[in-house]
Amino acid sequence: MAIESTSRAYNTTGTTPIDQVLLARIELEERADAEVGKEMEALYFAPPGDNAQIILTVGKDECAAVADKDPHFQSDPGGALLRQMTRKIQKALEDNGEPADIACVKARDIARHLGCKAFVNADHLLASQDGSQKMHRQAIHVSIDDNKVHIHKTTTYTTINPARSVFGPQSNEPVTQVVDLAMQFTSTGDCVEAEVIKAAVRVAESPDLSVKSLVEDTKKLFGVPAASPASNDFLACLKDLYHLLSGIFLGARRIKFVVGDVEEVARVDPDAAARPDGISLDRLGLDENFDKTAWLASASKAYGRFKHAVTYQYDNDNVHVTRNRGPALDAQTQRKAIDEWARATLEKKERTLRTDRNLHVGNPLTFWGVPSLPKGTYAYATAHVAELAQAADLGSSEGDAKLFEEVCAALDGALFPAPGTERVVIKIDGNDIMDARMRGACQRLRGVETFAAESEVPDDFRETLRDVVRIGGLPSHTSVEQIATVKTALFSAVIGRIKEACPNEATQRQMFATIARGPAAMQIVRDINGEPTVKDNRNEKYRVAISTRKTMPALRDDAVGISFYSGHTRLSAEAKVYFFGDKFFESDSLTTTRAVTTAFFEVTDKNTRMTDATYQGDFVLRDKSKVPDRKLRKEFREMRETVKLAMKRNRRKSV
């Protein structure tokens, strides 16, 4: 059969299936990822033998091998596949230089197309519509190449034999029709464009009249125009030249058709007959002979450009990612994008420190001081604090108990600092809530608690606790039967002092929630902004300053301001500077470390809100030759702890 190569303008009304496939706009529905995951599970993990199942391969891997890398694969295979496909595409886009947050959202949108039936089943329109064909098997191959994601769909059909029951097995029926659809997503700048690269239908060569009619049906579905005159026809050459120039200068869009025997088409126009190696012919019920003898109709773009499905435009306002200038994405997707940006930022800072041997963050100082972190990131810290405040506002005993427990944990560093650590300083309008008497009482109780933990309860146990009650100015009726009772009384006394500064009970709940979760709120802001974090530093200086209108006149009635300060200017031996995951620097690998975080909350009787936060860090790596051996460091620490323990026991014996 002679090869026919023709073209025509596309039909904007989509009167033929090929126009609908090439030019349709398939917009993604705003479905939850869980729902998309269930759809992907039904499409790619259906029981074997189910015609609805699509054989999906990604590169050289089966979809199960891709999804199996997700910890939730067994319970949620579709969701696992969606997450892993997103991760693969995102990595490719990041490697191509795209910002991590936008790459994350783009990758998610592209991957979700695999869970969109309208997209996955777009090729079904190109099969014969006369009811004589039955879908046999389907396969999709995905390949990722820099900023492009290629998706190739192949579907095979068999002819329904009226002589057999339509309910009987037909697995031995030969394949009579094969539909291929090649699609491509391209990420460029702030856009993702999706287009159909090629659509093709193969029909088995057969003297059977029913099969021969498939050829004519396919030509009608494609709207293939009559063949052009011979190429030496002068008018035909002028016509082709006109179409070419119209596409270049006027953007005219046309569809190019190549029709003929597969072998001949492959020889003259290899792209028209191409199919990726990732599509397995055996699993589709095909043999190599089919492709050698079949008749082929292929359609692709000519001269102009047409897009298939979607063109998304992405933007970032320094915090939130938007699509097509619409509203912010759902909270879960948005937080994921922010976390990915933070991860990439920390990776870059970690590389800078390793390469340049120094890292400076939050510099240089402006005239007004250290520049504030982006205000759009404060909402996440505020939400974390508000969660506790809302639980307390419900008035339930569980909510009150949770608030009291977390406040006591936050005050523990002020009342009972661990040995060798800096005491947490909490001030109200400049006055330390821990006066000398209260500090003395807490130190005395800490000593009793330490002895009790080592099963060395002093003989005058109750008398010692009575001294703590007296020194701390606690009510005389405080029970001295248990350490925990006295400890709780000390916490309550300090909490009472804080309440005196703010009589409004509603504001008090908001204030204590802020005090309790202030450290975690600062950590959230650091994480979101991709800043290094110092952990396990016994020399941390932590300060909390509560201000009323007495010292901050700008505050409204019954409102308070709470500022937090966390400073690391000297690292203890156990301290580490963390960047991301398991990437950290030990204290003795750094000659200079300065990490200071500040935050300010405005607290009213209605809510609490972070209004400012800053971070400043300076890190300088020590010369590798001067970093002590880790084994020697460990032995030194163990020896030091042994000496401390021996000295402590000797002191007790002398007492």
Side-chain angles (χ1 to χ4, degrees):
M1 184 181 293
I3 296 177
E4 300 177 13
S5 181
T6 59
S7 71
R8 66 167 172 82
Y10 76 90
N11 191 325
T12 56
T13 60
T15 54
T16 65
I18 193 65
D19 289 292
Q20 295 176 41
V21 170
L22 296 182
L23 305 170
R25 293 189 57 81
I26 302 174
E27 298 289 350
L28 273 178
E29 299 174 355
E30 285 300 328
R31 297 182 295 165
D33 283 356
E35 187 179 348
V36 177
K38 288 298 181 185
E39 191 71 67
M40 293 177 78
E41 180 178 349
L43 289 170
Y44 308 113
F45 296 97
D50 188 338
N51 284 347
Q53 184 194 29
I54 299 175
I55 303 166
L56 176 65
T57 53
V58 183
K60 297 180 179 179
D61 297 323
E62 299 281 341
C63 67
V66 174
D68 189 41
K69 295 180 175 65
D70 190 277
H72 303 290
F73 169 63
Q74 295 298 330
S75 59
D76 181 22
L81 179 61
L82 174 60
R83 289 186 290 273
Q84 292 302 313
M85 286 301 304
T86 299
R87 186 169 300 174
K88 278 180 170 290
I89 298 170
Q90 179 185 340
K91 184 179 185 305
L93 298 183
E94 283 190 53
D95 290 345
N96 200 51
E98 299 205 20
D101 53 347
I102 291 183
C104 172
V105 178
K106 283 183 175 181
R108 173 179 175 267
D109 285 349
I110 294 172
R112 281 164 59 93
H113 278 79
L114 293 172
C116 173
K117 277 190 174 181
F119 179 83
V120 171
N121 296 335
D123 64 312
H124 292 182
L125 287 172
L126 301 180
S128 176
Q129 306 295 309
D130 63 0
S132 65
Q133 299 295 296
K134 177 183 178 181
M135 186 188 299
H136 184 48
R137 293 174 188 169
Q138 303 179 83
I140 289 179
H141 178 70
V142 180
S143 61
I144 305 169
D145 181 20
D146 292 332
N147 66 327
K148 298 182 185 298
V149 179
H150 307 277
I151 299 178
H152 189 103
K153 171 84 181 292
T154 301
T155 306
T156 60
Y157 295 84
T158 59
T159 300
I160 297 175
N161 189 339
R164 299 191 180 193
S165 168
V166 294
F167 300 104
Q170 297 190 23
S171 60
N172 60 340
E173 293 288 348
V175 172
T176 52
Q177 190 175 33
V178 180
V179 177
D180 284 278
L181 194 62
M183 297 159 280
Q184 177 178 287
F185 292 88
T186 304
S187 177
T188 305
D190 60 355
C191 291
V192 167
E193 295 178 345
E195 59 181 323
V196 174
I197 301 301
K198 177 190 65 179
V201 174
R202 288 168 169 82
V203 175
E205 286 284 4
S206 171
D208 191 326
L209 293 178
S210 63
V211 173
K212 284 190 172 184
S213 67
L214 287 177
V215 172
E216 297 304 319
D217 286 346
T218 301
K219 286 185 177 182
K220 290 179 181 178
L221 289 171
F222 274 46
V224 179
S228 301
S231 59
N232 58 358
D233 188 305
F234 178 71
L235 291 178
C237 292
L238 285 179
K239 185 177 180 182
D240 290 340
L241 179 61
Y242 168 77
H243 292 321
L244 175 62
L245 295 177
S246 296
I248 294 174
F249 296 107
L250 302 178
R253 296 178 286 185
R254 301 179 66 78
I255 301 176
K256 171 188 173 184
F257 299 94
V258 181
V259 177
D261 292 332
V262 174
E263 276 195 320
E264 286 298 311
V265 172
R267 181 177 59 82
V268 176
D269 190 349
D271 290 339
R275 181 187 291 137
D277 294 336
I279 299 291
S280 171
L281 299 182
D282 289 340
R283 297 180 68 178
L284 287 172
L286 291 170
D287 55 36
E288 293 183 0
N289 189 54
F290 181 93
D291 266 357
K292 292 179 180 178
T293 60
W295 173 86
L296 170 73
S298 175
S300 59
K301 64 183 181 182
Y303 312 130
R305 178 181 181 83
F306 44 77
K307 301 181 180 71
H308 173 68
V310 291
T311 301
Y312 284 151
Q313 184 175 8
Y314 300 82
D315 196 12
N316 185 332
D317 63 359
N318 292 326
V319 179
H320 300 105
V321 177
T322 57
R323 185 196 303 119
N324 291 343
R325 295 187 174 88
L329 305 175
D330 65 273
Q332 183 179 1
T333 303
Q334 188 61 69
R335 183 58 193 267
K336 174 66 175 173
I338 290 175
D339 289 344
E340 289 299 305
W341 179 88
R343 171 196 54 77
T345 301
L346 278 170
E347 286 180 355
K348 182 178 179 181
K349 290 178 179 178
E350 192 267 349
R351 285 194 301 270
T352 299
L353 180 54
R354 288 193 185 278
T355 304
D356 299 345
R357 314 298 293 173
N358 63 78
L359 174 68
H360 304 287
V361 182
N363 290 327
L365 294 176
T366 66
F367 177 77
W368 303 105
V370 180
S372 297
L373 296 171
K375 294 189 180 297
T377 61
Y378 301 168
Y380 296 96
T382 295
H384 182 67
V385 176
E387 179 188 29
L388 180 59
Q390 289 167 4
D393 277 341
L394 295 176
S396 65
S397 57
E398 293 84 0
D400 291 340
K402 182 175 177 61
L403 179 60
F404 182 77
E405 178 185 357
E406 292 200 27
V407 170
C408 289
L411 296 177
D412 191 69
L415 276 67
F416 308 103
T421 63
E422 292 271 350
R423 182 176 73 86
V424 174
V425 178
I426 302 177
K427 293 184 177 182
I428 301 176
D429 289 331
N431 300 313
D432 195 331
I433 62 171
M434 296 291 292
D435 56 25
R437 288 175 59 85
M438 183 62 75
R439 286 200 298 271
C442 291
Q443 289 170 1
R444 190 74 179 270
L445 184 63
R446 169 66 82 182
V448 176
E449 193 175 32
T450 302
F451 288 148
E454 298 177 0
S455 301
E456 297 182 14
V457 180
D459 296 333
D460 56 348
F461 174 72
R462 290 183 181 82
E463 189 59 38
T464 302
L465 292 184
R466 287 193 185 94
D467 285 345
V468 173
V469 170
R470 178 179 53 79
I471 296 171
L474 302 180
S476 58
H477 57 76
T478 302
S479 172
V480 293
E481 296 298 320
Q482 294 181 337
I483 294 174
T485 305
V486 178
K487 193 171 187 178
T488 299
L490 287 171
F491 278 126
S492 297
V494 172
I495 289 172
R497 294 183 179 185
I498 298 174
K499 285 182 176 180
E500 291 175 2
C502 178
N504 186 301
E505 290 187 5
T507 306
Q508 286 176 2
R509 287 192 292 271
Q510 300 287 340
M511 176 177 61
F512 285 121
T514 306
I515 293 172
R517 294 199 169 179
M522 287 197 292
Q523 183 64 57
I524 289 172
V525 171
R526 275 196 300 268
D527 289 344
I528 287 178
N529 286 281
E531 304 295 3
T533 296
V534 180
K535 295 183 180 180
D536 304 322
N537 183 24
R538 301 173 70 84
N539 298 325
E540 177 188 10
K541 294 183 183 296
Y542 182 63
R543 307 283 186 264
V544 180
I546 303 170
S547 302
T548 65
R549 291 193 67 185
K550 185 186 298 183
T551 54
M552 195 174 287
L555 291 171
R556 290 172 287 172
D557 290 338
D558 294 327
V560 297
I562 304 179
S563 61
F564 296 88
Y565 170 94
S566 170
H568 301 271
T569 55
R570 185 169 57 91
L571 298 186
S572 61
E574 307 85 357
K576 296 180 179 66
V577 179
Y578 281 84
F579 282 78
F580 62 95
D582 58 353
K583 300 290 185 181
F584 62 84
F585 294 87
E586 294 192 343
S587 60
D588 53 18
S589 67
L590 297 155
T591 60
T592 302
T593 300
R594 183 171 186 269
V596 177
T597 308
T598 67
F600 183 82
F601 279 82
E602 185 177 323
V603 184
T604 68
D605 58 345
K606 298 291 192 300
N607 57 40
T608 177
R609 183 171 59 92
M610 180 183 282
T611 60
D612 188 64
T614 67
Y615 180 89
Q616 186 179 18
D618 294 283
F619 307 94
V620 179
L621 278 181
R622 189 187 303 274
D623 189 322
K624 290 183 180 180
S625 62
K626 297 180 181 179
V627 178
D629 181 80
R630 290 191 177 184
K631 183 178 179 181
L632 292 176
R633 294 202 312 269
K634 182 179 179 183
E635 291 176 353
F636 176 75
R637 282 197 296 266
E638 290 175 350
M639 183 175 65
R640 185 176 60 186
E641 293 300 322
T642 302
V643 171
K644 282 184 178 179
L645 183 60
M647 292 175 64
K648 185 184 295 184
R649 288 174 177 169
N650 288 335
R651 283 198 302 270
R652 290 177 190 159
K653 287 180 181 179
S654 63
V655 173

